[in-house]
Amino acid sequence: MANDTLLAAAKRKLNITWSDTETDARVSDAIGNALPALARAIGLDAETDAFDEPGEARGLLLNCIFYEFNDALDDFWANYADDVQRLLLANRAGVDDDAPEA
């Protein structure tokens, strides 16, 4: 199950302003599907804390959750392929992609 902070952020991204167990379960399922798939695609372990703080990785995760929630995950991979590739390369190189450029 998604942590409360990530669940709340995902609900904001999805413009869900109400709370009920069925909706929360659907959002949690979307998080549970999107997070490990995206982590693997950008070269991170599914247990990473890279998604805990605001930044590019978390923003990409929220977009991935949005697409997963709306049954359009294949469109996410097509639309965000460049972003996924850039983060993968940055993670392989050990670069903090959210750090300001010098």
Side-chain angles (χ1 to χ4, degrees):
M1 177 138 178
N3 69 43
D4 292 338
T5 303
L6 185 53
L7 179 63
K11 287 176 71 172
R12 282 191 304 276
K13 176 70 175 177
L14 295 164
N15 290 320
I16 297 172
T17 58
W18 63 93
S19 186
D20 65 63
T21 55
E22 186 175 328
T23 302
D24 288 355
R26 278 196 65 215
V27 175
S28 291
D29 288 348
I31 293 168
N33 292 332
L35 194 146
L38 181 61
R40 186 174 48 254
I42 63 173
L44 299 174
D45 185 272
E47 302 301 317
T48 184
D49 62 357
F51 301 115
D52 290 348
E53 298 296 323
E56 190 169 3
R58 184 168 183 152
L60 195 58
L61 175 61
L62 291 174
N63 286 326
C64 189
I65 292 166
F66 178 88
Y67 279 79
E68 169 65 22
F69 186 82
N70 289 291
D71 297 321
L73 195 55
D74 53 334
D75 291 330
F76 168 81
W77 297 114
N79 293 341
Y80 289 90
D82 290 343
D83 297 313
V84 170
Q85 183 69 22
R86 188 173 24 52
L87 279 178
L88 173 62
L89 293 173
N91 287 327
R92 284 186 178 167
V95 175
D96 180 1
D97 213 40
D98 289 327
E101 293 184 23

